[in-house]
Amino acid sequence: MSSVILFNKPFNVLSQFTDKGLEGSARETLSNYIDVPEYYAAGRLDKDSEGLLVLTNNGRLQQQIANPKHKWPKTYVAQVEGSPRESELEELRKGIRLKDGITRPAEIELIGEPAGLWPRNPPVRFRKTVPDSWLMITITEGRNRQVRRMTAAIGFPTLRLIRYSVGDWTIDELDSGVWRYAE
């Protein structure tokens, strides 16, 4: 029987079960949190990003979620340095040129700080002289570090990035570092 695991990945955790990095490194991996055999991540989430990671034991579903040609929407909450204007957000809505080409149009809105947000360890750096803002961004592709590169391209570097949803699955009622089977 195939099923799906929803995991709220903490900051600084690799999106894989083993660390193939430096010999003797002690980086946290999915195996520090999930002890269920034969499940694999459907797509990736950088170690410095947090939030929803979908795992499945169904190879076909894994490929559908991860492959951009299927256009699964992925929604992120991004804390950015500065206060973008509507005209700057519109550039992202239309698609913006990055080094690897123009992005597909994104849905984006300026939001307040999300309620119930868990603390990040280590905390995001705080600068009294530079404001920060929160954006909700939905994309249908998954280029390497895409959301971070998009916000930087309009002059607002990402300070914290949390994937809120993949398709209809969300991290609602799922604390950081906790997983459950999808219903």
Side-chain angles (χ1 to χ4, degrees):
M1 180 176 107
S2 69
S3 61
V4 170
I5 287 176
L6 306 178
F7 175 53
N8 188 346
K9 187 188 89 58
F11 178 80
N12 227 13
V13 172
L14 298 177
S15 292
Q16 56 201 39
F17 283 95
T18 58
D19 183 2
K20 297 178 179 132
L22 302 172
E23 187 67 35
S25 77
R27 298 185 297 183
E28 282 193 300
T29 66
L30 298 178
S31 63
N32 293 89
Y33 297 88
I34 303 169
D35 186 19
V36 181
E38 306 300 320
Y39 277 78
Y40 302 95
R44 308 213 36 96
L45 194 56
D46 297 325
K47 77 179 184 80
D48 56 353
S49 297
E50 308 163 71
L52 184 61
L53 186 65
V54 176
L55 298 94
T56 182
N57 61 1
N58 179 320
R60 179 173 285 143
L61 178 59
Q62 180 186 24
Q63 175 62 17
Q64 276 187 348
I65 294 169
N67 191 323
K69 79 176 184 180
H70 297 291
K71 299 181 182 176
W72 276 59
K74 296 169 182 80
T75 299
Y76 297 82
V77 175
Q79 181 183 20
V80 297
E81 187 173 87
S83 301
R85 296 183 305 272
E86 270 303 309
S87 60
E88 292 158 327
L89 298 178
E90 192 60 32
E91 292 180 54
L92 301 180
R93 291 182 185 114
K94 291 178 180 176
I96 192 161
R97 180 171 298 283
L98 302 176
K99 286 183 180 178
D100 56 353
I102 297 174
T103 63
R104 288 184 187 148
E107 293 177 28
I108 184 163
E109 64 180 295
L110 193 57
I111 62 171
E113 181 174 338
L117 194 59
W118 57 89
R120 195 186 87 172
N121 187 15
V124 172
R125 64 182 164 81
F126 175 74
R127 294 180 12 189
K128 289 181 182 178
T129 59
V130 180
D132 61 64
S133 304
W134 289 89
L135 304 173
M136 184 166 279
I137 303 170
T138 301
I139 60 175
T140 57
E141 54 191 343
R143 301 180 194 188
N144 187 35
R145 301 182 72 79
Q146 180 175 343
V147 171
R148 291 178 188 280
R149 293 189 299 136
M150 288 170 64
T151 64
I154 61 166
F156 299 92
T158 296
L159 302 172
R160 186 174 185 188
L161 185 62
I162 302 164
R163 182 158 52 200
Y164 171 72
S165 69
V166 174
D168 292 333
W169 295 307
T170 73
I171 56 171
D172 288 340
E173 300 178 27
L174 196 59
D175 291 333
S176 180
V178 175
W179 67 272
R180 71 170 184 262
Y181 288 105
E183 297 175 10

